[in-house]
Amino acid sequence: MKEKRPIKLELLIGTVIALVLVAGLAVTLAFAADMKEKYNIHLDNLYKKSFIEAMDSIDDIEIKLSKVSVSEGSQTQKTLLSEIWMNAEIAKNNLAQLSGKDSNMEKIIQFLNQMGDYCHCLSKKLPDDPLTDEEKDKLESLYKVVQSLKASFKEVDEGLRGDATFVGRLDEGIQMLGDCYEHFNNDSNIDYPEMIYDGPFSDATAIREAKYLNSLPKVTQEAAEARAREIFKDAKEIAFVEKTMGSIPSFVFSVATEEGEGLAQISEHGGKLVLYTSSHDKGGAEIDIEEATEKAEEVLVTMGYENLKLVWVTPGEGAVYLNYIFFHDDILYYPDFVKLKVGDDGCVLAFDATGYAYNHIDRSLDPPSATPEQAAEKVSKKLTIVETRTVVIPTKWNTEIFAYEFFCEREDEEFYVYIDANTLEEVEIMKVVNNMVV
């Protein structure tokens, strides 16, 4: 039997050192790979953010140019053109983050820069110096170019979806913009100077004083809970959660029903339900709009909101979104609105009366100076008037305007045009996009 030869100490030490070095190198490489992956994820997110924000801005530009093309009011045109200029600045700044990926992107940035400057130049001369027919034709031309650009960006966006990273597929996707480049490379047709799920006015809550609620007496927590139990008769349990302050001081209650959990906000002034959200799972079945409307109107009466007219319906997956506006003496008061979301099983999934709470007051309106027929003459001849209504609309300056609303069509496009019922000035234009008003 052979004797085992002893392992030399030097060999053992050398082996240990080698193993340590290999392990250290492996750790270092793994760390480096991890850092590279995190960097690529970070870079990918930056590119995605820039692309999406640029695409959103181009969408806004396209919508506003379409409004300009049918606007006859100089002040409306001025506002829209100024906003287009700002949207163009946002779009080009975001695209600049991507320009290193393809030199053709520079042509789009140049176009946005020239178009934005042109719109800015026109806005500065308004309203005192009206747009000429030639300038309107150029804006119409720009509108068509931006429509093409928007379509190409949408195609790129769809092409970039999937499991692959944005960075990895950007080179491939950006080439899909090629059909648009011809519009942006020294276009000789444009003489550049050196330049609702909602319905109309469904965000009119800029005034932060709850004028309607503040005119009502205060209620206690116990009275607010009693009111919640009246509204949610079928609830298994209602429990106080907290009191919130702010512009609408309220008592918040959790509401447990057979369908799920919800939170209800009862105002301290008046004990009115102001907000309700539910975790109830909608089934996804096709919803009957008429049944949803009947359910919504029953709920509105139960909650103490009366004299409301349905003005906007947006079907969704397993739910329908309904906008109601205060209606009195044949006048629609857009600032005073209530929104509901009704599920396919007839359950109210969400309720929002903040617009009504902030804006509803008793109003005394003098008869309008102008007739609907006179106002209709101020609507662009490019539009076909389908329906006319008398309305009160909110402004950006927290005031209200007595106006005539004209629902209009142009080929496959739909617009709402608002003409001041006293001055006959065009005060607002809204376009319907994907069943939303913008």
Side-chain angles (χ1 to χ4, degrees), residues 17 28 50 80 84 99 103 121 130 144 155 165 184 189 211 217-219 272 303 312 355 384 390 406-407 410 424:
I17 291 173
T28 302
S50 296
L80 289 169
I84 290 168
S99 60
S103 59
C121 178
K144 292 175 181 176
E155 188 178 356
T165 63
F184 315 132
N189 296 320
K211 293 182 287 187
K218 286 186 177 183
V219 300
K272 294 283 187 179
M303 296 179 182
W312 197 261
T384 301
T390 306
F406 297 95
F407 173 61
R410 181 180 69 170
L424 290 178

Side-chain angles (χ1 to χ4, degrees), residues 11-27:
L11 179 60
L12 180 61
I13 293 174
T15 302
V16 171
I17 291 173
L19 289 173
V20 170
L21 288 174
V22 169
L25 180 60
V27 171

Side-chain angles (χ1 to χ4, degrees), residues 119-311:
C119 292
H120 183 49
C121 178
L122 294 180
S123 73
K124 289 195 294 185
K125 75 168 195 161
L126 292 166
D128 299 328
D129 184 7
L131 296 177
T132 65
D133 290 339
E134 183 181 2
E135 288 165 342
K136 290 179 180 179
D137 289 342
K138 289 177 181 177
L139 288 169
E140 186 74 28
S141 173
L142 286 173
Y143 172 48
K144 292 175 181 176
V145 173
V146 172
Q147 279 185 310
S148 177
L149 179 61
K150 174 184 173 180
S152 293
F153 263 81
K154 184 178 180 181
E155 188 178 356
V156 172
D157 181 51
E158 291 172 353
L160 291 171
R161 295 183 187 277
D163 296 331
T165 63
F166 190 88
V167 174
R169 300 188 63 188
L170 184 60
D171 288 324
E172 172 192 345
I174 207 167
Q175 297 303 322
M176 297 165 72
L177 289 166
D179 293 341
C180 283
Y181 292 158
E182 58 185 301
H183 294 294
F184 315 132
N185 194 14
N186 301 319
D187 190 339
S188 59
N189 296 320
I190 301 172
D191 180 22
Y192 297 109
E194 304 293 336
M195 2 186 245
I196 202 156
Y197 310 114
D198 293 320
F201 307 106
S202 59
D203 295 315
T205 57
I207 301 176
R208 303 324 298 175
E209 176 195 355
K211 293 182 287 187
Y212 168 61
L213 295 178
N214 288 349
S215 65
L216 303 176
K218 286 186 177 183
V219 300
T220 62
Q221 176 184 322
E222 291 72 24
E225 182 172 338
R227 181 63 183 136
R229 294 187 183 281
E230 288 177 14
I231 295 170
F232 301 99
K233 293 185 176 66
D234 299 328
K236 296 186 296 181
E237 183 182 357
I238 292 178
F240 175 72
V241 176
E242 64 176 343
K243 181 179 180 182
T244 63
M245 300 307 292
S247 56
I248 304 181
S250 304
F251 302 101
V252 180
F253 298 93
S254 62
V255 180
T257 66
E258 292 290 343
E259 293 79 20
E261 302 288 329
L263 284 175
Q265 184 174 325
I266 306 292
S267 64
E268 183 178 30
H269 285 271
K272 294 283 187 179
L273 180 67
V274 178
L275 283 171
Y276 173 70
T277 57
S278 169
S279 62
H280 170 41
D281 230 354
K282 46 187 188 297
E286 185 175 347
I287 190 164
D288 186 306
I289 302 295
E290 188 175 340
E291 287 182 10
T293 302
E294 289 176 1
K295 178 63 176 178
E297 290 172 2
E298 288 176 14
V299 169
L300 287 171
V301 171
T302 302
M303 296 179 182
Y305 293 96
E306 300 179 346
N307 299 320
L308 297 176
K309 184 180 180 70
L310 180 65
V311 297

